[in-house]
Amino acid sequence: MERRKMTIAALHKKKENSQKITMMTAYDYPTAGLVDQAGIDTILVGDSLGMVMLGYDATVPVTMDEMIHHCKAVSRGARYGLIIGDLPFLSYHVSMEDSIRNAGRFLKEAACDAVKLEGGTEMAGVVRTLVDRGIPVCAHIGLTPQTATKLSGFGVQGKDAEGARRLLQSARDLEAAGAFMIVMECIPDMLAARITRELKIPTIGIGAGKDCDGQVLVYHDMVGLFERFTPKFAKQYVNLGPRIKEALKQYKADVESGAFPGPEHIFAMDPEEAKKI
């Protein structure tokens, strides 16, 4: 039986029923298909694609056009999961007009179901503006990679009481502004649990403990395809990198030795027809 498309209302219902929500990143058509077939609830086309797909050192260089390009591919590959496009750095910081235009492109051009943006209380106005114009917004607090320099690097946020209070207030403000879900990255598990209890909207954790309403991982971390570093919060379920490299080496050896292509890979011609050439 074909599954119904995941909706925001269905995600909220899962929180109400204490059912965990699953989220996974995807950046291309074949991966989106695999994630979708696995029954993952939500697919995040994260600006992390800048690092794992495009080779940038950070997410900051990622452009709107690059995001739209990858979101289009994911939308063609997924039929079930709710697709969330990540607004890249400076696409929602300059003006409300830019924010609306850029967020709208994710829905209009790339067939995403929602957008995600980083920031706390300071971004509540942007969230409200987008939501008022019919653009669903997933918020993102804690470690926000686009502004990691301001946060003094990729460290845990909200470790002291003052920082924790700011994150808690940010979560409240973003919910009040209309965000339908909040990603919480690299914050202490007790703080994440407190925020999850207080909010009516779902929370998705990445390095935020087990008490969030759901979890998200970067696909390339989970399957072992990104070798530059592995975050502490990432669980590697399979290590495909070495397997793929071994397959490539075997292919090279087969070509060089003449073992590939074999008879089963060749299109034969009738010898009599060959004589007529």
Side-chain angles (χ1 to χ4, degrees):
M1 185 172 62
E2 187 174 354
R3 293 168 298 166
R4 292 183 179 180
K5 170 77 175 179
M6 180 57 66
T7 64
I8 291 171
L11 293 175
H12 286 193
K13 194 70 174 177
K14 292 193 82 166
K15 178 180 174 87
E16 291 173 15
N17 294 334
S18 299
Q19 295 175 295
K20 293 292 187 179
I21 296 167
T22 53
M23 179 186 286
M24 181 61 60
T25 66
Y27 314 105
D28 54 41
Y29 174 84
T31 304
L34 293 173
V35 172
D36 214 46
Q37 291 164 36
I40 302 296
D41 297 318
T42 57
I43 298 177
L44 173 63
V45 189
D47 60 2
S48 48
L49 68 84
M51 301 174 76
V52 301
M53 295 291 287
L54 303 179
Y56 297 144
D57 291 329
T59 62
V60 171
V62 178
T63 67
M64 271 296 300
D65 286 341
E66 287 169 339
M67 289 302 308
I68 295 298
H69 172 81
H70 286 270
C71 284
K72 284 181 176 180
V74 169
S75 296
R76 289 191 288 266
R79 295 289 178 269
Y80 166 75
L82 187 93
I83 302 172
I84 303 172
D86 217 352
L87 281 162
F89 184 59
L90 287 186
S91 66
Y92 55 99
H93 304 77
V94 179
S95 69
M96 286 298 185
E97 290 77 11
D98 278 351
S99 301
I100 297 166
R101 184 182 305 108
N102 289 326
R105 289 186 65 191
F106 280 91
L107 275 63
K108 190 174 178 66
E109 295 179 38
C112 288
D113 301 300
V115 298
K116 182 176 78 64
L117 57 78
E118 296 181 5
T121 298
E122 73 280 5
M123 286 298 165
V126 178
V127 172
R128 171 56 64 195
T129 296
L130 296 181
V131 171
D132 284 348
R133 284 155 179 79
I135 302 172
V137 178
C138 173
H140 182 157
I141 62 173
L143 173 59
T144 47
Q146 292 176 7
T147 52
T149 301
K150 184 181 75 173
L151 299 173
S152 301
F154 291 82
V156 178
Q157 304 298 306
K159 291 188 291 185
D160 57 26
E162 181 182 354
R165 282 194 295 268
R166 282 198 302 268
L167 286 174
L168 178 57
Q169 189 58 51
S170 286
R172 292 166 176 161
D173 293 340
L174 290 162
E175 179 181 50
F180 73 89
M181 188 159 62
I182 294 184
V183 171
M184 301 189 295
E185 182 170 358
C186 285
I187 69 173
D189 57 349
M190 291 180 66
L191 174 59
R194 167 79 180 272
I195 293 172
T196 299
R197 288 195 303 270
E198 287 208 11
L199 298 189
K200 294 181 179 179
I201 61 175
T203 61
I204 303 294
I206 179 165
K210 65 182 180 62
D211 293 318
C212 301
D213 296 308
Q215 299 291 328
V216 60
L217 281 178
V218 171
Y219 174 81
H220 288 66
D221 291 337
M222 192 203 76
V223 300
L225 287 178
F226 186 67
E227 298 182 329
R228 275 161 51 185
F229 63 87
T230 301
K232 177 183 177 179
F233 53 71
K235 180 176 179 178
Q236 190 178 88
Y237 284 80
V238 62
N239 192 9
L240 294 181
R243 298 187 190 183
I244 293 172
K245 281 187 283 188
E246 186 56 40
L248 290 168
K249 289 177 182 178
Q250 187 61 57
Y251 162 73
K252 180 178 185 292
D254 283 356
V255 171
E256 291 174 345
S257 69
F260 176 81
E264 68 274 26
H265 308 118
I266 295 172
F267 299 99
M269 185 176 186
D270 187 299
E272 295 302 318
E273 291 297 320
K275 293 178 183 178
K276 299 176 184 178
I277 298 175

